[in-house]
Amino acid sequence: MLILLVGGGLFFTLYGKLTPFRYMAHSVKLLTGKVDDGSGHGDLSHRKALAAALSGTLGLGNIAGVALALSAGGPGAVFWMWLTALLGVSTKFYTCTLGVMYRHKDAKGNVHGGPMYTVQHGLGPKFKWLAVMFAIAGLMGFVPSFQINQLGAVVQTQLFPGVAWLESSAFSWGMGIVLAVFVGMVIWGGLKRVADVAGALVPLMAGSYMVMAVAALALNAERVPGVFQSIFASAFSPDAMFGGVLSVIIIGVSRGAFSNEAGIGTEVMAHSAAKTNEPVREGLVASLGPIIDTLIVCSCTALVILVTGVLDQAEGMQGVSLTMAAFKAAFGAPGAWLLAAQVLILSFTTVFTFWYYGYKCFVYLFGEKVGQYYKYLYLSLVVLGAVVSLDVVFLFLIGAYGLMAVPTMVSGLLLAPKVNQAAKAYFSGRRYQSHSGSQATNL
């Protein structure tokens, strides 16, 4: 995964001559709807497609995943998360452009997209085993257990610590059943309802979380320069406590991939549902994802944990519990409760989106007729997630994500010339120049 995500991201960045970076202003205009009339095949606008994709990444990956990275790799892991995010900008541009380019429309007019369709239609039948590999790994990786598990941890260990009956297995099972009911109310409405809910909640929760983080940093402003120094120093320091430089790199890259999912393939399925006939446009919108969820939101989490000093004090604490302790150190008990509310909502939006991703993989493997039963399977996994351990769940997900990266990155690398051709045609065409006044570009 290290070679594929970092090496592949570097290739995309150089091969595309920084295309998504050079046209970032145009990406923002696309996101706001200023340069797109919303016509074309698909189910979602650019904004809702990005919101749906971000709802799968702007959640516990940013709040709990970063805390896990710091616990396992120290401050230096943050640097490698940043690097993964920067390279992920180009990776998302290429993989999501291909997702729209090779998406499939079934007999009922439903649009299906994702790395499995990119592989099947872009690389041909001899590579179908890669498509099947992605779908199988996706069914394992899109289980909602991590999010549900961390929700239980928030209630049991942070909001109501020391309450014995909350730590019982009966409470865990009961909470899982209640959460499954709420999840079912949304996913039964399909992708459009998921996107509507995500489009309303994700910007609100992400914005409020960043306000809290900035306030926490302002209260500890004198420590911020030292924190940045420790991040850069630890990134290349062979600290035996965290397993050496290679261990820190691997932890940072894997947690960064878990956070923004660039090159994993999940985001391709959300962006493939965009209502557009210009694949490059959706690729540009998708490239904003790593900037928002890793460079901005993940950085806020990491900096708050480091400036409050809870990383050195909270022995045995990990995941969302560590992040909760950081905000509690900054704001007292109200900080923990405010973060709990955001964790609750962001976790739910992630769970909603993961249902859609898992459903697409399930339909690819077993067909549309059997696909209707996936909702019941998914809700049973919600219940199960409330009672399994964090270590088992997180290691399981990282393994599944690593498997998903193989088909996504292999197809992206082999089909990269197709993206460059499409980008050259788009940026030299009238539809782009009429909104930007730019001349033809050289790719």
Side-chain angles (χ1 to χ4, degrees), residues 246-327:
L246 183 59
S247 178
V248 172
I249 293 173
I250 293 174
I251 290 167
V253 170
S254 64
R255 295 325 190 249
F258 183 69
S259 169
N260 62 62
E261 299 178 12
I264 304 298
T266 56
E267 74 288 346
V268 180
M269 288 185 278
H271 288 287
S272 295
K275 189 176 293 185
T276 182
N277 290 328
E278 296 277 5
V280 172
R281 286 190 167 184
E282 193 57 32
L284 290 170
V285 172
S287 70
L288 297 173
I291 295 173
I292 297 171
D293 59 40
T294 302
L295 291 181
I296 297 177
V297 180
C298 280
S299 295
C300 288
T301 302
L303 292 174
V304 171
I305 291 174
L306 293 172
V307 299
T308 54
V310 296
L311 182 63
D312 301 321
Q313 302 169 3
E315 184 177 351
M317 194 175 290
Q318 59 178 334
V320 72
S321 300
L322 182 60
T323 309
M324 191 80 68
F327 279 95

Side-chain angles (χ1 to χ4, degrees), residues 140-429:
M140 296 188 295
F142 300 136
V143 296
S145 302
F146 177 69
Q147 287 74 22
I148 301 300
N149 181 286
Q150 290 290 271
L151 278 177
V154 169
V155 175
Q156 293 169 331
T157 65
Q158 296 298 312
L159 297 183
F160 302 102
V163 180
W165 70 272
L166 289 178
E167 299 178 6
S168 66
S169 60
F171 172 78
S172 297
W173 282 104
M175 185 184 69
I177 293 171
V178 171
L179 294 176
V181 171
F182 281 106
V183 172
M185 292 170 63
V186 174
I187 67 175
W188 241 265
L191 174 62
K192 290 185 177 180
R193 182 178 296 176
V194 169
D196 288 341
V197 172
L201 294 180
V202 168
L204 177 63
M205 289 301 100
S208 61
Y209 181 73
M210 288 173 59
V211 169
M212 282 182 61
V214 171
L217 294 177
L219 292 174
N220 298 274
E222 71 282 357
R223 300 181 183 176
V224 173
V227 163
F228 275 101
Q229 183 179 1
S230 69
I231 289 174
F232 289 104
S234 301
F236 303 96
S237 174
D239 192 336
M241 179 180 177
F242 297 110
V245 175
L246 183 59
S247 178
V248 172
I249 293 173
I250 293 174
I251 290 167
V253 170
S254 64
R255 295 325 190 249
F258 183 69
S259 169
N260 62 62
E261 299 178 12
I264 304 298
T266 56
E267 74 288 346
V268 180
M269 288 185 278
H271 288 287
S272 295
K275 189 176 293 185
T276 182
N277 290 328
E278 296 277 5
V280 172
R281 286 190 167 184
E282 193 57 32
L284 290 170
V285 172
S287 70
L288 297 173
I291 295 173
I292 297 171
D293 59 40
T294 302
L295 291 181
I296 297 177
V297 180
C298 280
S299 295
C300 288
T301 302
L303 292 174
V304 171
I305 291 174
L306 293 172
V307 299
T308 54
V310 296
L311 182 63
D312 301 321
Q313 302 169 3
E315 184 177 351
M317 194 175 290
Q318 59 178 334
V320 72
S321 300
L322 182 60
T323 309
M324 191 80 68
F327 279 95
K328 194 172 183 179
F331 304 113
W337 281 94
L338 286 171
L339 182 61
Q342 293 164 338
V343 167
L344 176 66
I345 294 174
L346 289 173
S347 297
F348 268 124
T349 57
T350 302
V351 171
F352 301 151
T353 304
F354 273 22
W355 159 77
Y356 176 72
Y357 293 160
Y359 170 74
K360 287 297 181 182
C361 292
F362 193 86
V363 167
Y364 182 82
L365 292 172
F366 304 109
E368 191 73 41
K369 291 183 179 179
V370 185
Q372 59 181 317
Y373 299 106
Y374 181 73
K375 291 187 178 77
Y376 302 100
L377 172 62
Y378 190 77
L379 293 179
S380 68
L381 293 173
V382 170
V383 177
L384 185 63
V387 297
V388 294
S389 72
L390 171 63
D391 290 337
V392 172
V393 170
F394 200 80
L395 290 174
F396 181 79
L397 291 179
I398 288 296
Y401 272 40
L403 290 175
M404 291 157 59
V406 175
T408 303
M409 293 300 291
V410 168
S411 60
L413 292 168
L414 292 177
L415 294 170
K418 297 286 187 181
V419 176
N420 274 16
Q421 291 174 10
K424 185 175 182 179
Y426 174 73
F427 290 120
S428 61

